[in-house]
Amino acid sequence: MIRKIVKYGDPVLETPTDPITDFSDPVLKDLVEDMFDTMYSAKGVGLAAPQVGIPLQLTVIDVSAGEDPSQKLVLINPKITGREGSQTGEEGCLSIPGFREDVTRAKKATVQAVNLEGAPIEVTGEDLLARAMQHEIDHLHGVLFLSHLSPLKRDLIRRKIKKLVKAGDW
Ligand code: NI
């Protein structure tokens, strides 16, 4: 089921999320399926639970955008445990549609998390996967990619969004 993606301005996007402790609840599996459906329909490569209004430490990622099922990644209670190098490239966010800006991130990132069964996993990714993991894990801390921009660029985007909100186009 496709869920509604929460847009910038909703406080849930800027509130740190809670860890997941109950892995037996079937609602969790449904939520993950819905998040993949929602992400694919919006043509994204990552989606974090707060983006569908759920303040939990859960994110789904698929850098193949649905082309390769082996790339589907579910990260629950994730933590970045390693960062190497740096990359600068254009980044966007499904909760901030229409705005893309260069963001500098680690080129390679290692993440420790648990999977849907509650078993520990470790994922190391480079380039787009590293960028996606860093972006999505930021979401779980209530941090948006705007925070990585210069104050000038950030204020410009905020002003544009305010206008869109006023016009009823957000
Ligand atoms: Ni995002």
Side-chain angles (χ1 to χ4, degrees):
M1 187 187 84
I2 294 168
R3 301 203 185 198
K4 190 176 178 290
I5 296 178
V6 171
K7 283 188 187 168
Y8 178 72
D10 188 315
V12 74
L13 290 176
E14 294 180 88
T15 308
T17 57
D18 293 323
I20 290 174
T21 52
D22 182 3
F23 294 89
S24 62
D25 190 342
V27 165
L28 183 61
K29 244 180 204 142
D30 289 344
L31 172 60
V32 167
E33 257 178 50
D34 287 357
M35 283 174 63
F36 274 113
D37 290 347
T38 306
M39 179 182 81
Y40 291 138
S41 90
K43 309 242 181 295
V45 296
L47 189 71
Q51 292 183 277
V52 291
I54 311 279
L56 291 175
Q57 286 179 25
L58 160 65
T59 174
V60 300
I61 292 172
D62 179 357
V63 291
S64 82
E67 294 295 312
D68 175 7
S70 73
Q71 309 254 347
K72 286 174 81 173
L73 204 56
V74 178
L75 299 174
I76 297 173
N77 306 339
K79 280 187 179 61
I80 295 175
T81 55
R83 285 185 176 87
E84 264 178 60
S86 94
Q87 56 170 326
T88 300
E90 224 183 44
E91 202 168 302
C93 179
L94 294 176
S95 293
I96 314 174
F99 295 93
R100 297 183 67 82
E101 291 292 340
D102 276 354
V103 178
T104 299
R105 304 266 187 192
K107 183 168 174 60
K108 189 174 170 184
T110 298
V111 171
Q112 284 181 356
V114 294
N115 64 17
L116 255 178
E117 286 73 45
I121 54 169
E122 186 177 90
V123 183
T124 297
E126 282 187 59
D127 302 318
L128 181 58
L129 178 55
R131 176 178 296 283
M133 291 197 297
Q134 291 168 86
H135 178 112
E136 299 310 327
I137 291 171
D138 265 0
H139 269 298
L140 305 183
H141 295 110
V143 174
L144 300 169
F145 85 90
L146 300 182
S147 301
H148 295 278
L149 307 179
S150 70
L152 201 71
K153 266 192 183 154
R154 187 163 55 238
D155 288 347
L156 189 68
I157 291 177
R158 279 199 187 129
R159 277 205 300 276
K160 284 184 180 168
I161 292 174
K162 256 188 200 159
K163 270 189 197 162
L164 288 170
V165 170
K166 248 189 191 164
D169 293 330
W170 189 247

